[in-house]
Amino acid sequence: MNVTYLHDDDLSFLQHCSEEQLADFARLLTHNSKDKPRLSSMLLRNELYQSMEGHPERHRHSWKLIAGELQHFGGDSIANTLRGHGKLYRVILLDVCHRLKLKAEKNQPTFEIEQHLLEHFLRNTWKKMNEEQKAQFFAAVKLKVTELEEILPRLLEDKKLIGGVSLLLSGQLNRILRTHAAVSVIGHGLLRGAGLGGPVGAALNSVKAVSGTAYRVTIPAVLRIACLRRMIAAQHA
């Protein structure tokens, strides 16, 4: 099965990501919170992608297929079939912001919109972190400041801070987002009174029913793309 990739200036930087970065991102797209393959994944059924299993740079060679998978999840499945492709990243980004009730102007640069989204993510995630998790974050960023509002203005400036934000999306704090919190990030009544248990998972599954867009995939994916873009930009600065 083919994965159609639309040329996308906002995703072209993926070709400069490491094999590990792309492998982690691809798995976020293709597997659910229980680490089971998504039935709607086109990438997992792509012959070229399958044929490269075991190749040391499988994901680097497949970055366009991975980007196409994100575009696929950004569009309604029926509409994707009719037009033969998904949506461009910027449209997906604006859809996510709209879903999270974040104000985003169509003429704003992609980088700036992502910045607002990351700040929103940090503020809402911070409220749900315990002291041990916060300590892990500060150990990763190695900043002397300890207040969130002091950290946010430096989000674009410090490589270690970017890495710390990425840590919230993977690694030791992976469960904060991958398990349940893609929906808890929304914080607009969808999870009223819910903890991080079953009710949250139920709400997460219901997001697809609200719209054709798979927000349970696109919300964490857009956050990861925002982090990756900043990490790659810092490496080439």
Side-chain angles (χ1 to χ4, degrees), residues 7-8 37 60 66 77 81 119 127 142-143 152 164 170 184 190 206:
H7 174 74
D8 196 330
R60 293 205 69 212
I66 296 170
S77 57
T81 301
E119 290 181 1
K127 297 174 184 177
K142 296 181 180 179
L143 291 178
L152 292 176
S170 60
S184 71
L190 190 60
S206 72

Side-chain angles (χ1 to χ4, degrees), residues 40-111:
S40 53
S41 171
M42 298 187 68
L43 184 62
L44 293 179
R45 291 176 284 167
N46 181 264
E47 291 182 5
L48 177 59
Y49 183 75
Q50 287 180 327
S51 70
M52 293 189 67
E53 186 172 0
H55 191 287
E57 292 207 328
R58 178 193 193 189
H59 296 89
R60 293 205 69 212
H61 286 302
S62 304
W63 74 267
K64 287 186 178 180
L65 296 178
I66 296 170
E69 178 87 331
L70 172 57
Q71 292 174 341
H72 160 71
F73 276 113
D76 180 276
S77 57
I78 296 176
N80 287 347
T81 301
L82 293 175
R83 63 181 167 234
H85 56 76
K87 292 181 178 180
L88 292 172
Y89 173 77
R90 185 175 174 83
V91 178
I92 299 171
L93 174 63
L94 290 171
D95 282 348
V96 166
C97 288
H98 178 73
R99 175 63 185 169
L100 303 184
K101 302 191 184 302
L102 287 176
K103 185 177 181 180
E105 302 295 337
K106 290 185 178 181
N107 60 348
Q108 275 185 289
T110 296
F111 203 81

Side-chain angles (χ1 to χ4, degrees), residues 21-211:
Q21 288 170 332
L22 288 174
D24 287 344
F25 182 60
R27 196 157 191 84
L28 184 152
L29 296 174
T30 61
H31 289 68
N32 64 22
S33 61
K34 296 181 180 179
D35 208 30
K36 293 183 178 180
R38 299 186 192 278
L39 297 178
S40 53
S41 171
M42 298 187 68
L43 184 62
L44 293 179
R45 291 176 284 167
N46 181 264
E47 291 182 5
L48 177 59
Y49 183 75
Q50 287 180 327
S51 70
M52 293 189 67
E53 186 172 0
H55 191 287
E57 292 207 328
R58 178 193 193 189
H59 296 89
R60 293 205 69 212
H61 286 302
S62 304
W63 74 267
K64 287 186 178 180
L65 296 178
I66 296 170
E69 178 87 331
L70 172 57
Q71 292 174 341
H72 160 71
F73 276 113
D76 180 276
S77 57
I78 296 176
N80 287 347
T81 301
L82 293 175
R83 63 181 167 234
H85 56 76
K87 292 181 178 180
L88 292 172
Y89 173 77
R90 185 175 174 83
V91 178
I92 299 171
L93 174 63
L94 290 171
D95 282 348
V96 166
C97 288
H98 178 73
R99 175 63 185 169
L100 303 184
K101 302 191 184 302
L102 287 176
K103 185 177 181 180
E105 302 295 337
K106 290 185 178 181
N107 60 348
Q108 275 185 289
T110 296
F111 203 81
E112 187 176 314
I113 297 173
E114 288 177 336
Q115 178 68 5
H116 293 320
L117 184 61
L118 283 172
E119 290 181 1
H120 179 76
F121 166 73
L122 274 177
R123 284 195 175 96
N124 283 275
T125 303
W126 200 255
K127 297 174 184 177
K128 304 177 188 305
M129 291 169 64
N130 58 36
E131 292 306 312
E132 181 182 355
Q133 291 166 337
K134 290 179 181 180
Q136 289 177 330
F137 177 81
F138 284 122
V141 301
K142 296 181 180 179
L143 291 178
K144 294 181 179 179
V145 296
T146 57
E147 296 298 326
L148 183 62
E149 294 306 315
E150 294 180 83
I151 295 173
L152 292 176
R154 301 177 65 173
L155 191 61
L156 296 178
E157 302 172 7
D158 195 295
K159 295 180 183 179
K160 291 178 181 178
L161 181 57
I162 296 169
V165 174
S166 184
L167 180 66
L168 295 178
L169 296 169
S170 60
Q172 297 179 52
L173 300 181
N174 190 51
R175 61 191 177 87
I176 292 179
L177 183 65
R178 285 291 302 277
T179 304
H180 304 292
V183 171
S184 71
V185 169
I186 294 174
H188 291 289
L190 190 60
L191 304 180
R192 277 179 206 164
L196 292 181
V200 181
L204 186 61
N205 291 328
S206 72
V207 172
K208 175 65 178 178
V210 175
S211 168

